[in-house]
């Protein structure tokens, strides 16, 4: 009789533990979800093991969020998680109101594959020489930027008027402006500013509202379009977890509130946000009960 009592006590404990695991929601995970006023959601992360491993070490957070590439750190102005776009600003880039020293914008190979500038981003190459490739052999890389011209850019922007020159012609003077080129990121990706033989560049986002807008009021910045790796993050989020990865193996990890983050794909021992149980846990419980009954029958 004592053996029977011990058996059923242990059986009840096992079923309760495996089928109804405790849910802890009071503690927080180690992944921050905000930097400044920018929300941090999957696939991005600013802490070790957070977000997707493909984007690791691309972001850093001080008082603001910065996106890091081989050419520098760029302040993140906004992230649209529905459209999968992010807008960054280059603090060393020339704009309509300030002229900055010459430099290149570079991205790593993995960044070019995952989070490259969108085709809405217009790169304006300024003060290009007559020998510039985009003024000769590769003129086809330049396009019309919503009806805007180089002359408009040079005359409207105080910082670019320095490129205007005047030459005497008889009893009058002739105003001339150097060549410029509106182009896409692909051009500056394969050719540096030295090869392009242009002294400065600026970028603006043509989101359909650039036409008819003076250069002083353009939306300056670089819009990046990114891809989201599909590794089951929705399942993790619905169970109350935060999508991340193991820092050593880079295997997907659903970080659960109050847990020690053992490898799992969802939180709550298989509980979903609809309150269903994980069928795998239940099957294991049934098999364990059958095995225990078999052992007891041998006693």
């Amino acid at each position: 009789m004592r053996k029977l009592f011990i058996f059923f006590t242990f059986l009840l404990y096992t079923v309760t533990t495996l089928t109804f695991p405790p849910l802890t929601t009071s503690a927080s995970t180690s992944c921050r979800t905000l930097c400044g006023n920018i929300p941090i959601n999957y696939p991005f992360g600013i802490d070790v093991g957070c977000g997707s491993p493909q984007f690791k070490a691309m972001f850093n957070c001080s008082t603001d969020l910065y996106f890091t590439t081989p050419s520098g750190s760029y302040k993140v102005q906004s992230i649209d998680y529905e459209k999968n776009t992010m807008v960054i600003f280059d603090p060393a880039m020339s704009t309509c109101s300030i002229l900055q020293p010459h430099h290149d914008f570079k991205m790593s190979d993995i960044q070019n594959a995952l989070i490259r500038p969108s085709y809405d981003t217009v790169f304006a190459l300024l003060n290009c020489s007559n020998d510039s490739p985009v003024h000769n052999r590769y003129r086809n890389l330049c396009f019309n930027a919503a009806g805007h011209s180089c002359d408009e850019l040079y005359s409207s922007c105080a910082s670019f008027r320095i490129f205007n020159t005047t030459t005497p012609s008889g009893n009058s003077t002739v105003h001339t402006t150097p060549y410029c080129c509106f182009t896409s990121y692909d051009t500056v990706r394969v050719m540096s500013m030295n090869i392009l033989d242009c002294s400065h560049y600026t970028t603006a986002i043509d989101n359909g509202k650039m036409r008819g807008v003076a250069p002083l009021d353009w939306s300056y910045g670089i819009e990046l379009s990114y891809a989201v790796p599909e590794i089951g993050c929705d399942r993790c989020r619905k169970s109350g977890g935060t999508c991340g990865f193991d820092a050593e193996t880079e295997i997907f990890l659903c970080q659960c509130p109050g847990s020690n983050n053992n490898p799992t794909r969802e939180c709550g021992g298989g509980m979903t946000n609809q309150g269903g149980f994980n069928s795998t846990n239940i099957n294991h419980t049934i098999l364990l009960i059958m095995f225990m009954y078999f052992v007891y029958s041998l006693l």
Side-chain angles (χ1 to χ4, degrees):
M1 190 69 181
R2 182 181 179 186
K3 291 182 179 180
L4 184 63
F5 175 76
I6 295 175
F7 169 76
F8 280 109
T9 301
F10 182 71
L11 177 63
L12 179 62
Y13 172 79
T14 302
V15 172
T16 303
T17 302
L18 293 180
T19 310
F20 303 97
L23 295 177
T24 56
T25 59
S26 58
S28 60
T29 64
S30 59
C31 294
R32 286 174 288 175
T33 58
L34 194 69
C35 179
N37 62 343
I38 304 296
I40 310 298
N41 299 328
Y42 185 82
F44 305 133
I46 53 178
D47 299 298
V48 176
C50 298
S52 170
Q54 288 92 330
F55 294 95
K56 70 176 182 179
M58 291 190 190
F59 295 87
N60 64 77
C61 177
S62 51
T63 53
D64 295 303
L65 182 65
Y66 287 88
F67 178 69
T68 303
T69 78
S71 59
S73 293
Y74 305 89
K75 183 178 178 179
V76 177
Q77 294 182 314
S78 64
I79 302 177
D80 191 324
Y81 289 100
E82 293 185 359
K83 296 181 179 179
N84 290 357
T85 58
M86 178 174 70
V87 176
I88 62 175
F89 185 80
D90 182 358
M93 178 185 70
S94 297
T95 66
C96 205
S97 56
I98 184 171
L99 191 67
Q100 300 275 32
H102 160 98
H103 80 293
D104 291 301
F105 176 74
K106 296 180 180 180
M107 302 185 77
S108 66
D109 291 339
I110 186 67
Q111 288 173 334
N112 279 315
L114 292 176
I115 188 168
R116 69 193 317 276
S118 71
Y119 288 103
D120 287 338
T121 300
V122 178
F123 282 76
L125 308 178
L126 306 170
N127 195 32
C128 302
S129 74
N130 290 331
D131 296 326
S132 171
V134 293
H135 190 39
N136 295 281
R137 184 177 180 181
Y138 298 108
R139 289 183 73 101
N140 62 317
L141 296 177
C142 304
F143 52 75
N144 181 284
H148 296 284
S149 66
C150 293
D151 289 341
E152 179 186 4
L153 199 59
Y154 287 136
S155 61
S156 300
C157 298
S159 60
F160 301 150
R161 288 174 191 161
I162 190 175
F163 300 132
N164 291 322
T165 58
T166 58
T167 56
S169 177
N171 296 327
S172 61
T173 58
V174 177
H175 295 273
T176 58
T177 56
Y179 186 74
C180 82
C181 171
F182 296 105
T183 190
S184 68
Y185 166 68
D186 291 330
T187 301
V188 300
R189 177 188 176 186
V190 298
M191 291 186 281
S192 68
M193 294 296 290
N194 286 333
I195 294 176
L196 289 166
D197 206 4
C198 302
S199 65
H200 298 77
Y201 83 88
T202 189
T203 61
I205 301 171
D206 182 9
N207 55 3
K209 300 178 182 179
M210 192 173 170
R211 184 174 296 276
V213 177
L216 189 63
D217 297 320
W218 287 358
S219 178
Y220 289 93
I222 301 173
E223 182 185 73
L224 306 177
S225 179
Y226 62 88
V228 180
E230 181 48 55
I231 54 176
C233 185
D234 285 343
R235 177 180 173 183
C236 172
R237 281 199 299 253
K238 288 179 180 179
S239 68
T242 301
C243 300
F245 59 94
D246 184 278
E248 295 183 358
T249 64
E250 296 191 353
I251 295 176
F252 174 77
L253 173 68
C254 185
Q255 299 197 30
C256 303
S259 75
N260 58 0
N261 287 331
N262 291 324
T264 182
R265 301 195 69 84
E266 60 183 301
C267 299
M271 287 284 278
T272 67
N273 61 332
Q274 284 84 17
F277 299 109
N278 190 318
S279 60
T280 302
N281 284 351
I282 296 176
N283 291 336
H284 288 171
T285 303
I286 294 174
L287 290 175
L288 181 60
I289 293 173
M290 293 174 64
F291 174 75
M292 290 173 62
Y293 181 78
F294 173 75
V295 172
Y296 176 75
S297 64
L298 298 178
L299 298 177

